[in-house]
């Protein structure tokens, strides 16, 4: 019996296998925002940047009175366009530039979501990332065949409730794997 592969991994986690050592993907967890025959786009959800949300808001000349929100970490979303910000969130909202990933996830790139967040009116569950990860047509499929990634349906608990340093293990645990027990090489029977 053969396993049926989903035609798209949109809304799934890519969980880096131990042999994937290239920064920022080493021990990385990416949420795939789009995956089709033209390629894939994802956001890493466990790689810390040097910035805090208050730094980003200040740079945009937005005042944030909520010290906890201002201290929220900004993550490295991937190596492409790291000067560009993305807000990954659960509630769809009515922001100017949002992309609905699926019924559970949205990503917004417009300033209005940051204005709402600074005013305490943004989505209840959201993270800010700088940059994104992209794969050309067929590239992700090749990486999957080379055992560079595990996949699992994305889970809000991993993104919003799990400490950054535990997200890699927690994401792999969604499919019953302890990544620390895996070898750093791939083989095929």
């Amino acid at each position: 019996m053969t396993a049926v592969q989903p035609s798209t991994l949109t809304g799934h986690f890519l969980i880096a296998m131990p042999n994937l050592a290239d920064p920022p993907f080493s021990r990385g967890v990416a949420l795939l925002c789009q995956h089709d025959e033209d390629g894939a786009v994802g956001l890493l959800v466990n790689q810390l940047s040097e910035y805090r949300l208050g730094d980003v808001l200040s740079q945009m000349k937005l005042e944030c009175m909520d010290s906890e929100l201002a201290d929220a970490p900004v993550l490295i979303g991937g190596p492409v366009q790291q000067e560009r910000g993305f807000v990954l969130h659960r509630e769809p909202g009515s922001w100017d530039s949002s992309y609905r990933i699926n019924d559970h996830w949205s990503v917004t790139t417009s300033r209005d979501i940051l204005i709402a967040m600074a005013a305490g009116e943004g989505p209840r569950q959201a993270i800010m990332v700088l940059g994104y990860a992209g794969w050309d047509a067929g590239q992700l499929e090749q990486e999957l065949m080379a055992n560079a990634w595990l996949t699992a349906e994305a889970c809000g608990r991993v993104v919003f409730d799990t400490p950054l340093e535990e997200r890699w293990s927690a994401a792999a645990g969604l499919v019953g794997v302890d990544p620390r027990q895996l070898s750093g090489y791939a083989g095929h029977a």
Side-chain angles (χ1 to χ4, degrees):
M1 183 159 123
T2 59
V4 176
Q5 293 291 324
S7 59
T8 179
L9 291 171
T10 299
H12 283 72
F13 285 141
L14 292 179
I15 305 145
M17 293 290 285
N19 59 324
L20 187 56
D22 297 334
F25 298 110
S26 177
R27 294 178 55 106
V29 178
L31 190 145
L32 281 179
C33 301
Q34 184 176 1
H35 176 231
D36 57 29
E37 67 277 352
D38 296 325
V41 174
L43 300 173
L44 289 164
V45 296
N46 72 326
Q47 303 295 336
L48 187 62
S49 80
E50 62 190 81
Y51 303 105
R52 294 298 201 201
L53 186 55
D55 299 328
V56 173
L57 296 174
S58 177
Q59 184 178 32
M60 298 182 75
K61 305 210 182 326
L62 298 173
E63 189 174 343
C64 179
M65 302 306 281
D66 181 342
S67 61
E68 186 176 331
L69 180 67
D71 195 44
V74 173
L75 305 181
I76 298 169
V80 182
Q81 292 186 355
Q82 288 192 332
E83 71 285 353
R84 188 169 181 197
F86 300 84
V87 177
L88 179 66
H89 53 97
R90 297 288 287 201
E91 300 86 18
S94 58
W95 319 110
D96 288 340
S97 185
S98 283
Y99 175 75
R100 189 80 187 254
I101 298 168
N102 60 23
D103 290 342
H104 307 288
W105 299 94
S106 294
V107 64
T108 300
T109 58
S110 51
R111 178 182 170 92
D112 61 339
I113 195 168
L114 294 174
I115 292 169
M117 290 170 71
E121 299 168 358
R124 290 181 308 262
Q125 293 184 313
I127 60 169
M128 171 99 190
V129 302
L130 298 174
Y132 67 92
W135 292 265
D136 290 330
Q139 182 182 359
L140 179 58
E141 290 75 10
Q142 289 295 323
E143 290 180 16
L144 289 167
M145 287 176 36
N147 296 318
W149 302 99
L150 288 173
T151 62
E153 189 169 342
C155 171
R157 179 180 43 78
V158 172
V159 175
F160 301 114
D161 300 330
T162 303
L164 280 173
E165 65 276 3
E166 296 174 20
R167 289 182 187 171
W168 183 60
S169 294
L174 295 171
V175 291
V177 173
D178 179 350
R180 297 166 297 201
Q181 301 290 320
L182 298 173
S183 67
Y185 61 90
H188 297 281

